[in-house]
Amino acid sequence: MTNPKILLDQYNLMPKKSLGQNFLHDPNALEKIVSTADLMPEDTVVEIGPGTGALTRALAEKVRHVFSIEIDDRMRPILEGELAPYNNVYLVFEDILKVDVLGLVGEREYVVVANVPYYITSAILRHLLEVPRRPRSIVLTIQNEVAERIIAQPGDMSLLAVSVQFYGKPEIATRLKAGAFWPRPDVDSAVIRIDTYETLPFEVPSTDLFFRVVKAGFSQKRKQLRNALSGGLGIKTQAGGELLEAAGIDPTRRAETLTIEEWARLTQVYSA
């Protein structure tokens, strides 16, 4: 793979800190990401943040279609040059949060592979998961700390963990040292894979109501659930306690201790 610093120097470009640009330059790390995606020849991949195209090339050699979405239009000449030999790569220079992913892939089943900065991870996950037809799996290279938050278990749950685990099963596939990227970031990264549910296993009246209840529960994380719910849902503390008891949940528990199933049950009781 061509060193990203050399490529950017050729075009008199510098990485943008505002976009969290850290370009992968370690071939072993690249191989780990592709391996984690577990791709098949007939697959369609949506890649977010191709950078200088190293991962894009590796993906293009494995699958039928690659839709590569890059927000930084400065990368256009680099990507068009590096990817010229591949007629199965389609470049889209746009903010992923404004892209209609289903409009791109059509009726095809698809997989998402992305290297995204911390500040936009949650927004991208919402954009990918809250659609009528979710990707079969999502492979993200993100900050190690964020990956740990996503895979957290009851006792250490967060709104981010619930938001992901409601739609699929996440696991950390491998970890990457900061030195695998240029410029070198301040922290190590992790490659996380989320296998989405074809049919959601949690029964809720609606996903909007489910997340309204969950957000209320996490709105005052240090408080007992009955107090957090009362503030977040605009109900009296006693009513919050009664809701929890009706759902079989101790009102003195805190939001981070609940399972997805308990949140779903609480939503059902709240909607009744």
Side-chain angles (χ1 to χ4, degrees):
M1 61 188 296
T2 308
N3 188 295
K5 185 178 187 307
I6 293 174
L7 276 174
L8 265 70
D9 284 347
Q10 288 175 359
Y11 290 87
N12 296 314
L13 296 175
M14 290 291 292
K16 279 189 176 181
K17 286 187 177 181
S18 62
L19 295 177
Q21 287 180 330
N22 301 99
F23 302 102
L24 191 68
H25 68 82
D26 183 340
N28 292 325
L30 190 73
E31 185 177 332
K32 289 177 181 178
I33 295 170
V34 175
S35 175
T36 298
D38 193 22
L39 298 166
M40 297 178 284
E42 66 272 19
D43 274 341
T44 292
V45 172
V46 174
E47 181 195 20
I48 303 169
T52 57
L55 180 56
T56 319
R57 289 198 303 271
L59 294 170
E61 291 169 1
K62 290 275 188 181
V63 302
R64 183 170 295 173
H65 303 286
V66 179
F67 293 91
S68 198
I69 302 168
E70 174 57 58
I71 193 173
D72 188 357
D73 197 64
R74 300 179 309 151
M75 296 294 125
R76 186 185 295 269
I78 295 177
L79 287 169
E80 289 179 346
E82 290 293 300
L83 301 172
Y86 302 97
N87 60 10
N88 61 336
V89 175
Y90 308 89
L91 294 171
V92 179
F93 291 92
E94 182 62 271
D95 180 348
I96 178 58
L97 299 181
K98 298 178 181 177
V99 172
D100 176 6
V101 175
L102 296 184
L104 276 184
V105 302
E107 295 302 313
R108 306 179 187 96
E109 183 182 76
Y110 63 108
V111 173
V112 171
V113 179
N115 176 16
V116 296
Y118 166 72
Y119 75 92
I120 201 171
T121 301
S122 297
I124 287 177
L125 281 169
R126 284 197 304 272
H127 187 63
L128 296 173
L129 293 170
E130 294 176 2
V131 292
R133 189 161 50 83
R134 288 174 285 279
R136 184 179 76 226
S137 61
I138 300 171
V139 175
L140 290 178
T141 303
I142 53 180
Q143 277 192 6
N144 188 60
E145 178 187 350
V146 182
E148 292 287 356
R149 286 179 59 207
I150 288 174
I151 67 164
Q153 295 300 301
D156 196 28
M157 295 289 277
S158 63
L159 180 57
L160 177 60
V162 174
S163 299
V164 172
Q165 294 178 32
F166 179 77
Y167 291 110
K169 183 179 180 182
E171 66 174 346
I172 293 177
T174 190
R175 301 181 195 272
L176 304 178
K177 291 294 186 183
F181 299 87
W182 177 83
R184 183 188 178 105
D186 295 330
V187 295
D188 292 338
S189 297
V191 179
I192 189 169
R193 173 170 166 157
I194 304 165
D195 290 319
T196 62
Y197 299 122
E198 189 171 340
T199 302
L200 294 179
F202 313 108
E203 290 188 19
V204 294
S206 75
T207 54
D208 286 346
L209 187 61
F210 173 82
F211 283 110
R212 183 185 169 199
V213 171
V214 173
K215 287 174 183 176
F218 279 101
S219 62
Q220 302 178 68
K221 190 177 177 182
R222 286 187 170 82
K223 289 193 174 182
Q224 295 178 355
L225 262 175
R226 59 185 169 194
N227 296 316
L229 285 177
S230 65
L233 295 176
I235 58 178
K236 292 182 178 180
T237 302
Q238 181 180 343
E242 290 170 353
L243 275 175
L244 289 158
E245 288 175 351
I249 300 167
D250 183 345
T252 64
R253 288 172 63 185
R254 287 175 168 75
E256 64 266 25
T257 69
L258 265 63
T259 65
I260 309 291
E261 291 84 354
E262 286 175 318
W263 284 117
R265 196 163 67 242
L266 181 58
T267 305
Q268 290 167 0
V269 171
Y270 178 65
S271 69

PDB file of all heavy atoms in Angstrom, residues 200-212:
ATOM      1  N   LEU A 200     -36.011  -7.717  14.797  1.00  0.00           N
ATOM      2  CA  LEU A 200     -35.677  -7.272  16.144  1.00  0.00           C
ATOM      3  C   LEU A 200     -36.253  -8.234  17.182  1.00  0.00           C
ATOM      4  O   LEU A 200     -37.442  -8.557  17.137  1.00  0.00           O
ATOM      5  CB  LEU A 200     -36.222  -5.868  16.395  1.00  0.00           C
ATOM      6  CG  LEU A 200     -35.596  -4.746  15.556  1.00  0.00           C
ATOM      7  CD1 LEU A 200     -36.258  -3.417  15.885  1.00  0.00           C
ATOM      8  CD2 LEU A 200     -34.094  -4.655  15.783  1.00  0.00           C
ATOM      9  N   PRO A 201     -35.433  -8.699  18.135  1.00  0.00           N
ATOM     10  CA  PRO A 201     -35.902  -9.668  19.127  1.00  0.00           C
ATOM     11  C   PRO A 201     -36.645  -9.039  20.293  1.00  0.00           C
ATOM     12  O   PRO A 201     -37.122  -9.749  21.171  1.00  0.00           O
ATOM     13  CB  PRO A 201     -34.601 -10.316  19.605  1.00  0.00           C
ATOM     14  CG  PRO A 201     -33.565  -9.253  19.445  1.00  0.00           C
ATOM     15  CD  PRO A 201     -33.989  -8.450  18.244  1.00  0.00           C
ATOM     16  N   PHE A 202     -36.753  -7.726  20.300  1.00  0.00           N
ATOM     17  CA  PHE A 202     -37.379  -7.037  21.423  1.00  0.00           C
ATOM     18  C   PHE A 202     -38.723  -6.457  20.983  1.00  0.00           C
ATOM     19  O   PHE A 202     -38.790  -5.700  20.014  1.00  0.00           O
ATOM     20  CB  PHE A 202     -36.474  -5.918  21.943  1.00  0.00           C
ATOM     21  CG  PHE A 202     -35.045  -6.349  22.122  1.00  0.00           C
ATOM     22  CD1 PHE A 202     -34.061  -5.905  21.264  1.00  0.00           C
ATOM     23  CD2 PHE A 202     -34.696  -7.237  23.137  1.00  0.00           C
ATOM     24  CE1 PHE A 202     -32.746  -6.315  21.415  1.00  0.00           C
ATOM     25  CE2 PHE A 202     -33.385  -7.650  23.291  1.00  0.00           C
ATOM     26  CZ  PHE A 202     -32.408  -7.194  22.427  1.00  0.00           C
ATOM     27  N   GLU A 203     -39.772  -6.811  21.693  1.00  0.00           N
ATOM     28  CA  GLU A 203     -41.110  -6.317  21.351  1.00  0.00           C
ATOM     29  C   GLU A 203     -41.359  -4.968  22.025  1.00  0.00           C
ATOM     30  O   GLU A 203     -41.374  -4.879  23.252  1.00  0.00           O
ATOM     31  CB  GLU A 203     -42.168  -7.337  21.777  1.00  0.00           C
ATOM     32  CG  GLU A 203     -42.163  -8.614  20.945  1.00  0.00           C
ATOM     33  CD  GLU A 203     -43.343  -9.508  21.275  1.00  0.00           C
ATOM     34  OE1 GLU A 203     -44.325  -9.008  21.862  1.00  0.00           O
ATOM     35  OE2 GLU A 203     -43.267 -10.704  20.965  1.00  0.00           O
ATOM     36  N   VAL A 204     -41.553  -3.946  21.205  1.00  0.00           N
ATOM     37  CA  VAL A 204     -41.869  -2.611  21.729  1.00  0.00           C
ATOM     38  C   VAL A 204     -42.992  -2.010  20.882  1.00  0.00           C
ATOM     39  O   VAL A 204     -43.135  -2.353  19.707  1.00  0.00           O
ATOM     40  CB  VAL A 204     -40.632  -1.682  21.686  1.00  0.00           C
ATOM     41  CG1 VAL A 204     -39.550  -2.175  22.638  1.00  0.00           C
ATOM     42  CG2 VAL A 204     -40.071  -1.571  20.275  1.00  0.00           C
ATOM     43  N   PRO A 205     -43.802  -1.122  21.475  1.00  0.00           N
ATOM     44  CA  PRO A 205     -44.891  -0.499  20.718  1.00  0.00           C
ATOM     45  C   PRO A 205     -44.376   0.268  19.504  1.00  0.00           C
ATOM     46  O   PRO A 205     -44.984   0.259  18.444  1.00  0.00           O
ATOM     47  CB  PRO A 205     -45.545   0.435  21.737  1.00  0.00           C
ATOM     48  CG  PRO A 205     -45.118  -0.090  23.074  1.00  0.00           C
ATOM     49  CD  PRO A 205     -43.777  -0.690  22.873  1.00  0.00           C
ATOM     50  N   SER A 206     -43.234   0.936  19.677  1.00  0.00           N
ATOM     51  CA  SER A 206     -42.566   1.629  18.573  1.00  0.00           C
ATOM     52  C   SER A 206     -41.140   1.936  19.013  1.00  0.00           C
ATOM     53  O   SER A 206     -40.873   2.092  20.209  1.00  0.00           O
ATOM     54  CB  SER A 206     -43.291   2.932  18.201  1.00  0.00           C
ATOM     55  OG  SER A 206     -43.042   3.939  19.161  1.00  0.00           O
ATOM     56  N   THR A 207     -40.234   2.018  18.045  1.00  0.00           N
ATOM     57  CA  THR A 207     -38.845   2.326  18.396  1.00  0.00           C
ATOM     58  C   THR A 207     -38.731   3.752  18.928  1.00  0.00           C
ATOM     59  O   THR A 207     -37.917   4.024  19.811  1.00  0.00           O
ATOM     60  CB  THR A 207     -37.910   2.142  17.185  1.00  0.00           C
ATOM     61  OG1 THR A 207     -38.404   2.915  16.075  1.00  0.00           O
ATOM     62  CG2 THR A 207     -37.834   0.681  16.774  1.00  0.00           C
ATOM     63  N   ASP A 208     -39.541   4.660  18.398  1.00  0.00           N
ATOM     64  CA  ASP A 208     -39.500   6.051  18.885  1.00  0.00           C
ATOM     65  C   ASP A 208     -39.842   6.116  20.372  1.00  0.00           C
ATOM     66  O   ASP A 208     -39.162   6.802  21.145  1.00  0.00           O
ATOM     67  CB  ASP A 208     -40.474   6.924  18.100  1.00  0.00           C
ATOM     68  CG  ASP A 208     -39.988   7.239  16.699  1.00  0.00           C
ATOM     69  OD1 ASP A 208     -38.788   7.012  16.425  1.00  0.00           O
ATOM     70  OD2 ASP A 208     -40.792   7.700  15.885  1.00  0.00           O
ATOM     71  N   LEU A 209     -40.879   5.397  20.759  1.00  0.00           N
ATOM     72  CA  LEU A 209     -41.275   5.396  22.169  1.00  0.00           C
ATOM     73  C   LEU A 209     -40.220   4.703  23.023  1.00  0.00           C
ATOM     74  O   LEU A 209     -39.907   5.155  24.133  1.00  0.00           O
ATOM     75  CB  LEU A 209     -42.632   4.713  22.344  1.00  0.00           C
ATOM     76  CG  LEU A 209     -43.237   4.786  23.756  1.00  0.00           C
ATOM     77  CD1 LEU A 209     -43.465   6.234  24.164  1.00  0.00           C
ATOM     78  CD2 LEU A 209     -44.543   3.999  23.821  1.00  0.00           C
ATOM     79  N   PHE A 210     -39.661   3.614  22.507  1.00  0.00           N
ATOM     80  CA  PHE A 210     -38.615   2.896  23.238  1.00  0.00           C
ATOM     81  C   PHE A 210     -37.467   3.847  23.575  1.00  0.00           C
ATOM     82  O   PHE A 210     -37.022   3.932  24.723  1.00  0.00           O
ATOM     83  CB  PHE A 210     -38.111   1.711  22.405  1.00  0.00           C
ATOM     84  CG  PHE A 210     -36.914   1.009  22.988  1.00  0.00           C
ATOM     85  CD1 PHE A 210     -37.061   0.064  23.997  1.00  0.00           C
ATOM     86  CD2 PHE A 210     -35.628   1.296  22.535  1.00  0.00           C
ATOM     87  CE1 PHE A 210     -35.956  -0.585  24.548  1.00  0.00           C
ATOM     88  CE2 PHE A 210     -34.525   0.654  23.071  1.00  0.00           C
ATOM     89  CZ  PHE A 210     -34.688  -0.285  24.073  1.00  0.00           C
ATOM     90  N   PHE A 211     -36.986   4.572  22.567  1.00  0.00           N
ATOM     91  CA  PHE A 211     -35.831   5.438  22.809  1.00  0.00           C
ATOM     92  C   PHE A 211     -36.212   6.688  23.607  1.00  0.00           C
ATOM     93  O   PHE A 211     -35.364   7.260  24.291  1.00  0.00           O
ATOM     94  CB  PHE A 211     -35.148   5.798  21.489  1.00  0.00           C
ATOM     95  CG  PHE A 211     -34.305   4.671  20.958  1.00  0.00           C
ATOM     96  CD1 PHE A 211     -34.689   3.973  19.833  1.00  0.00           C
ATOM     97  CD2 PHE A 211     -33.158   4.288  21.623  1.00  0.00           C
ATOM     98  CE1 PHE A 211     -33.926   2.915  19.356  1.00  0.00           C
ATOM     99  CE2 PHE A 211     -32.383   3.231  21.162  1.00  0.00           C
ATOM    100  CZ  PHE A 211     -32.767   2.529  20.020  1.00  0.00           C
ATOM    101  N   ARG A 212     -37.474   7.076  23.571  1.00  0.00           N
ATOM    102  CA  ARG A 212     -37.900   8.164  24.446  1.00  0.00           C
ATOM    103  C   ARG A 212     -37.775   7.744  25.903  1.00  0.00           C
ATOM    104  O   ARG A 212     -37.291   8.511  26.752  1.00  0.00           O
ATOM    105  CB  ARG A 212     -39.352   8.556  24.127  1.00  0.00           C
ATOM    106  CG  ARG A 212     -39.830   9.739  24.944  1.00  0.00           C
ATOM    107  CD  ARG A 212     -41.300  10.044  24.722  1.00  0.00           C
ATOM    108  NE  ARG A 212     -41.785  11.010  25.703  1.00  0.00           N
ATOM    109  CZ  ARG A 212     -43.048  11.195  26.002  1.00  0.00           C
ATOM    110  NH1 ARG A 212     -43.996  10.483  25.408  1.00  0.00           N
ATOM    111  NH2 ARG A 212     -43.408  12.084  26.905  1.00  0.00           N
TER     112      ARG A 212
END
